[in-house]
Amino acid sequence: MTAVVETAAADAAGQGAEPIRPAGRAGVVMRRFVRNPGALTGAVVLILLFLLAFAGPLISRWDYSHIDYTALRDAPSARHWWGTNRIGQDVFAQTIRGLQKSLLIGLLVALFSTVLASLVGACAGYFGGWTDRVLMFFVDLLLVFPSFLIIAIISPRLRDGGWFAFVGLLAVFGWMITARVVRSMTLSLKEREFVRAAQYMGVGPFRIIWRHVVPNIASFLIIDATIAVGGAVMSETALSYFGFGVQSPDVSLGTLIASTTGAAVTYPWMFFFAAGLLIVFVLAVNLVGDGLRDALDPTSRRSRSRKRKGAGR
């Protein structure tokens, strides 16, 4: 049998055929993700939204801050594609600018909060002892604080720092639950054989965390970061709606929705474009998050299908 296999391999090599290699984890995850119609739809919608946000200003003849005094509250037309607002600003340009700002805030908040959560949670779980107690006390303390109220109080005092200071505020109060999950996963991972072997070989603790712990929780971090983008955009929208987020003359989806709520019935184009893009974005992020969870952990889909079948009976 071995001789037959070797002969077949030699024949394939002689004919110039490439040896068949097993697909890597990234390829398997990508195939699972693409086969999920909901996840694929969400990913396409997100790509289109990003293209609209960052390429839209290039195709518009109006800047978000320009005022057309001859068109006040005009309905959508060839001159103003999505109409104008009460002072003559182009709604398309304003909405695209708001979408761009909200997406940037959401991405940066998700990035910073995920990095902070993985660092604190992994260190607490790996080192244990007083390090674990101090870090978890700090996490529990932040969880007790009413984050929305604190951000609302602090953000007006950081207006000189611009919207980037607002990103920092949102990130500071958006990582604690993720850190606790990362800690529990690290507690399990540090008892595994490969971590023990690295310890016996004299590998430093931070190198073990970076090389062995973080890669094994990367699936969870990717899913959490994806969903955190949508959560950050919703938080930014809510705070900006109440005047605590992005400040004038800049705009975000939250400030646009807040300033045009009263005109939603009489001048619907001033309100529904911004509100519609926000809804579409959050739905797309949730679809992508569900698709990533199913692609990285196929058992999650099976368990949900079994639950649905059980409920049907």
Side-chain angles (χ1 to χ4, degrees), residues 7-276:
T7 304
D11 291 341
Q15 295 172 4
E18 294 184 359
I20 299 175
R21 296 183 177 88
R25 176 173 170 78
V28 173
V29 170
M30 182 59 66
R31 281 200 298 272
R32 291 174 186 160
F33 183 84
V34 172
R35 288 172 186 168
N36 188 329
L40 188 60
T41 301
V44 171
V45 170
L46 282 181
I47 292 172
L48 292 177
L49 287 176
F50 274 92
L51 287 176
L52 179 64
F54 294 98
L58 302 177
I59 62 175
S60 175
R61 60 180 292 188
W62 300 97
D63 186 73
Y64 78 96
S65 60
H66 288 172
I67 298 176
D68 185 1
Y69 294 102
T70 64
L72 304 180
R73 294 175 177 172
D74 273 9
S77 62
R79 181 177 175 83
H80 296 282
W81 300 336
W82 290 0
T84 59
N85 61 13
R86 58 187 178 82
I87 62 174
Q89 292 173 317
D90 187 75
V91 172
F92 176 81
Q94 287 256 305
T95 305
I96 295 308
R97 174 67 176 183
L99 177 63
Q100 184 183 114
K101 189 65 65 176
S102 293
L103 290 180
L104 283 174
I105 290 174
L107 286 173
L108 290 175
V109 169
L111 175 63
F112 293 156
S113 60
T114 302
V115 170
L116 186 58
S118 60
L119 178 63
V120 173
C123 288
Y126 184 82
F127 291 107
W130 66 268
T131 303
D132 184 22
R133 289 192 292 272
V134 170
L135 290 177
M136 287 302 103
F137 173 78
F138 183 64
V139 168
D140 293 337
L141 192 63
L142 287 177
L143 282 172
V144 171
F145 287 157
S147 58
F148 190 92
L149 180 61
I150 294 174
I151 294 174
I153 294 173
I154 297 177
S155 59
R157 294 170 171 78
L158 298 177
R159 289 181 179 177
D160 294 338
W163 63 272
F164 200 76
F166 182 59
V167 168
L169 269 179
L170 286 177
V172 164
F173 290 97
W175 58 275
M176 292 83 71
I177 296 177
T178 303
R180 294 197 67 88
V181 177
V182 170
R183 170 185 174 271
S184 64
M185 297 175 72
T186 305
L187 286 172
S188 175
L189 284 171
K190 76 175 185 178
E191 301 299 329
R192 302 285 292 273
E193 292 80 2
F194 57 89
V195 175
R196 293 288 190 183
Q199 292 172 344
Y200 292 146
M201 293 172 64
V203 180
F206 289 103
R207 188 175 178 83
I208 292 176
I209 290 173
W210 176 251
R211 294 289 300 274
H212 299 289
V213 175
V214 173
N216 282 280
I217 61 175
S219 301
F220 166 74
L221 293 177
I222 291 171
I223 297 170
D224 183 78
T226 303
I227 298 175
V229 174
V233 170
M234 291 297 293
S235 298
E236 178 275 324
T237 301
L239 288 163
S240 297
Y241 183 88
F242 292 106
F244 302 117
V246 177
Q247 302 298 320
S248 181
D250 209 346
V251 295
S252 71
L253 291 180
T255 60
L256 291 176
I257 292 172
S259 62
T260 58
T261 301
V265 177
T266 52
Y267 304 100
W269 61 87
M270 294 168 53
F271 172 81
F272 284 105
F273 283 115

